[in-house]
Amino acid sequence: MKRNHKKKHRIFFIFGHDVKMYDCFSTIVDHYTNARVVSLKKDGTAGLRSLRRRVCDCLRASDYCVALASADDALESTVQCRQNVIFELGCAIESLGEDHCLLVLDPAVTLPSDLSDVMYIGYNPLDHKEAVKLFLKQLESWGIEIDLNVLNLL
C-alpha cells in the first residue's frame, strides 16, 4: 500500500525588530498550512556560526522566502527596515529566485530602488487583515495548502 507523502514546503522568514509582525505571519504558516517555518530565530545555532553562514544554511533548507520589512530604523527624513532584511532578501532572491520570494512591507519604510520590482504586499501594523488575505493568496499560488479555519481569525 502506497502512502501519499505530500511535500512539506519550507518558508524562510526574514525579519527585523517587529516580533509581532513575525508572529502574525509565522503563526499562520505554522498552524494553518502544510508548510514549515524556517528562521534564524528557530535554527538554534546562534553564536556557533557566522550570521552569513546561518542565512545560507536556512536558504538551502527552504523553498520560499518571506521578508518582513518593518519600520525599525528612523533616519532624518525617512524610516527604513533593518539592513539585515535587505541583505538576506537579496541572498534569497539569488538563491531561490524572485518568484519564490515575497516582501511584506510597512508603507512607512523606504526601500532601496533596486528592490522596486520585488513582489510585495503592504502591511498596516494597525489593521493587518488585508495583508494577511494577500499573504494567504500568495501561499496558495506557491502550492501551499491552507486550512480555511484561518479565515475565522480575520
Side-chain angles (χ1 to χ4, degrees):
M1 174 166 77
K2 282 188 179 179
R3 287 202 170 153
N4 185 9
H5 292 290
K6 290 187 178 184
K7 180 180 179 186
K8 184 110 171 156
H9 298 278
R10 295 155 303 185
I11 303 172
F12 179 44
F13 274 82
I14 299 168
F15 60 99
H17 288 292
D18 191 339
V19 176
K20 282 178 72 175
M21 188 178 187
Y22 168 78
D23 288 342
C24 172
F25 291 98
S26 66
T27 299
I28 289 170
V29 170
D30 269 343
H31 297 291
Y32 297 99
T33 73
N34 67 330
R36 187 174 69 102
V37 171
V38 176
S39 75
L40 294 177
K41 184 177 181 179
K42 290 185 163 193
D43 85 337
T45 63
L48 302 176
R49 297 188 327 269
S50 72
L51 179 61
R52 184 188 53 78
R53 200 169 287 240
R54 290 173 58 214
V55 168
C56 290
D57 289 347
C58 285
L59 285 169
R60 274 193 287 280
S62 301
D63 303 299
Y64 303 99
C65 174
V66 175
L68 307 174
S70 54
D72 292 328
D73 296 331
L75 304 175
E76 274 184 37
S77 61
T78 186
V79 177
Q80 68 181 23
C81 63
R82 300 294 304 168
Q83 293 302 296
N84 72 290
V85 173
I86 301 300
F87 174 75
E88 292 168 28
L89 177 58
C91 293
I93 290 169
E94 179 65 26
S95 177
L96 302 173
E98 216 173 282
D99 56 333
H100 285 234
C101 296
L102 174 68
L103 178 63
V104 180
L105 178 65
D106 183 319
V109 171
T110 302
L111 282 178
S113 59
D114 290 354
L115 293 177
S116 63
D117 61 343
V118 171
M119 181 173 38
Y120 76 92
I121 57 176
Y123 172 80
N124 178 347
L126 302 177
D127 181 13
H128 55 268
K129 288 180 185 178
E130 188 60 31
V132 169
K133 288 177 188 175
L134 293 170
F135 177 67
L136 292 170
K137 283 184 182 182
Q138 182 58 45
L139 294 180
E140 279 185 316
S141 77
W142 284 339
I144 294 170
E145 295 175 10
I146 298 168
D147 178 348
L148 295 179
N149 288 321
V150 72
L151 299 176
N152 296 331
L153 300 176
L154 301 179

